[in-house]
Amino acid sequence: MGKIQIDMLGARFVVRANEDEAYLNKIYSYYKDITRTIQVNKNLDNPLQISILAGITLVDELLKEKSQNVINRETGMDRDKIQMAEKLANEMISQIDNVL
């Protein structure tokens, strides 16, 4: 069981979890990076707005990753192979259009 001290956006508290501290620090660091990026890019000072936008950003990443994992399982292909297949298909379509 690990614990981590959270100190950001005007809040300070300790979190205990069934993960080791290195993993908790990794999560916390990633979240801080996202909140910092949102704060700077959106020019926000409101901690609640920053936190909500960070949460939405993380959920977006999670859903996109889950969707990609489903595609990978269903097709047996990874993202790079899918992109290469799409590129080749587009090139073939372009060549067919040129002939016609």
Side-chain angles (χ1 to χ4, degrees):
M1 181 173 213
K3 71 177 183 175
I4 187 168
Q5 174 73 40
I6 304 294
D7 188 7
M8 63 184 295
L9 301 173
R12 184 178 203 150
F13 54 95
V14 174
V15 173
R16 292 182 193 337
N18 291 331
E19 300 289 348
D20 63 45
E21 288 186 19
Y23 181 72
L24 294 175
N25 282 318
K26 185 176 180 178
I27 292 171
Y28 181 46
S29 177
Y30 188 64
Y31 187 76
K32 284 192 327 189
D33 289 344
I34 288 173
T35 56
R36 204 174 303 119
T37 299
I38 289 169
Q39 192 171 15
V40 170
N41 290 342
K42 303 291 186 191
N43 197 26
L44 293 174
D45 290 328
N46 184 312
L48 182 59
Q49 290 176 342
I50 295 166
S51 295
I52 290 169
L53 287 174
I56 290 170
T57 300
L58 289 168
V59 170
D60 177 52
E61 287 181 18
L62 176 64
L63 290 178
K64 285 178 180 173
E65 190 64 32
K66 281 185 167 189
S67 175
Q68 187 61 50
N69 287 339
V70 167
I71 291 169
N72 291 348
R73 274 195 311 272
E74 290 175 355
T75 64
M77 298 174 68
D78 63 20
R79 185 177 303 167
D80 292 336
K81 288 180 182 176
I82 292 170
Q83 288 175 343
M84 179 60 83
E86 288 174 349
K87 180 181 175 191
L88 291 172
N90 287 331
E91 288 175 4
M92 287 188 284
I93 291 169
S94 178
Q95 288 177 2
I96 291 169
D97 285 342
N98 288 337
V99 170
L100 297 176

